[in-house]
Amino acid sequence: MKLKLALALGLVLMAAIVAWVFFSPNRVITEVTLQGEFEKLAPRNIEFLVEPYVGESFWQLDLERLHADILNLDWVYQVKVKRRWPSTLVLDVVEQTPVVRWGEDGLLNQHGDIFYPHDTTPYQRLVRLNGEVIQSRDLLQKLAVFQNAFSPLDWTIDDLTVQADGSWTLHFVSGATVLLDSSDWQVKLDRFIRAYPNVKPELRKFAQLYDLRYSNGFVIKGSPPISSESTERPKAP
């Protein structure tokens, strides 16, 4: 009986020692591991934020605050912050990947999320999207759909705007502009793509705007003034 009691007390004491060693408040962060591939993000900016945490208690470290601070940096898309026993802080950072511009000052990543770095000058050649913030993901998808539709004509979009009424204004590298409303837009777009090769060269030469917002045709406008052309006599949009 005494042997069993002594054994039990020994196990309890050993467990307490292990727990103290593992969870000791004296254990501090002595090493930081930064993981990720960076092109625009400067690792020194992360190091500057992390430096005050080195030497802090391993268990009492405020991971949520550090996570928020790093996520606030330019070009950070995602970050995971975790402890690695016995004394390491691990940071896994994913950098933003811009695919288009958003308005005057923003960029859009591949997921349709908007971010605002301090300097967007190197990305002025990207396509620009314009609309309400809530429309960013849908507009990015529409850009892919529209660009694919105009590929047979070898037209390249450089600006896409969704208007307040839900219609779209597409501007192309060539200088041409297309107006398209949301009512049966796929039918109207397909009709234009099929009909355009038959548009007279003299009309194409001066064309500046193609208005597809008609139920049975489209209108070509330009400068100097040119006549309208449609698949049928267009009705008012």
Side-chain angles (χ1 to χ4, degrees):
M1 184 67 179
K2 290 182 179 180
L3 181 60
K4 291 182 179 180
L5 181 59
L7 182 59
L9 289 174
L11 291 174
V12 170
L13 180 59
M14 184 178 295
I17 293 173
V18 170
W20 185 86
V21 171
F22 193 80
F23 295 105
S24 172
N26 296 323
R27 186 170 300 282
V28 297
I29 296 293
T30 59
E31 182 180 348
V32 177
T33 299
L34 178 59
Q35 300 173 342
E37 297 180 3
F38 311 123
E39 292 183 10
K40 281 81 67 174
L41 183 62
R44 64 180 178 275
N45 292 338
I46 299 177
E47 294 167 1
F48 177 79
L49 286 177
V50 174
E51 188 176 352
Y53 293 86
V54 176
E56 283 198 10
S57 170
F58 182 80
W59 296 111
Q60 296 176 8
L61 182 69
D62 191 342
L63 296 183
E64 291 186 5
R65 187 182 69 180
L66 179 57
H67 177 274
D69 288 344
I70 296 175
L71 199 58
N72 235 7
L73 289 174
D74 267 7
W75 296 104
V76 174
Y77 174 55
Q78 289 180 336
V79 58
K80 295 179 181 178
V81 182
K82 58 184 179 181
R83 305 177 183 88
R84 179 183 294 161
W85 200 85
S87 57
T88 302
L89 183 62
V90 180
L91 309 175
D92 190 355
V93 180
V94 179
E95 188 178 71
Q96 292 277 19
T97 302
V99 293
V100 296
R101 289 185 292 151
W102 181 261
E104 292 295 330
D105 305 314
L107 296 173
L108 218 60
N109 65 23
Q110 68 273 31
H111 305 292
D113 300 320
I114 306 169
F115 63 104
Y116 295 92
H118 286 95
D119 183 17
T120 61
T121 304
Y123 305 96
Q124 294 305 301
R125 292 183 178 274
L126 293 178
V127 180
R128 186 174 73 174
L129 304 185
N130 306 280
E132 298 295 329
V133 171
I134 196 173
Q135 299 170 312
S136 63
R137 295 189 179 189
D138 180 67
L139 200 54
L140 183 61
Q141 293 174 354
K142 282 295 189 298
L143 172 64
V145 172
F146 291 154
Q147 185 56 71
N148 183 65
F150 280 97
S151 292
L153 303 183
D154 199 26
W155 288 19
T156 301
I157 299 170
D158 65 5
D159 193 289
L160 173 61
T161 300
V162 58
Q163 306 294 348
D165 62 358
S167 63
W168 301 283
T169 301
L170 297 81
H171 189 270
F172 295 83
V173 172
S174 64
T177 298
V178 169
L179 304 181
L180 179 64
D181 65 327
S182 58
S183 176
D184 294 327
W185 65 269
Q186 186 73 66
V187 173
K188 296 172 182 177
L189 183 56
D190 291 345
R191 179 174 58 209
F192 175 76
I193 300 300
R194 291 195 306 270
Y196 182 79
N198 299 319
V199 174
K200 297 176 182 178
E202 56 268 27
L203 292 181
R204 297 189 199 179
K205 184 177 180 180
F206 296 107
Q208 292 182 334
L209 186 144
Y210 300 86
D211 194 342
L212 280 54
R213 299 173 297 171
Y214 296 85
S215 61
N216 64 338
F218 58 89
V219 170
I220 303 174
K221 300 178 182 179
S223 179
I226 58 177
S227 60
S228 299
E229 172 135 338
S230 65
T231 55
E232 299 178 34
R233 183 178 179 82
K235 299 177 182 178

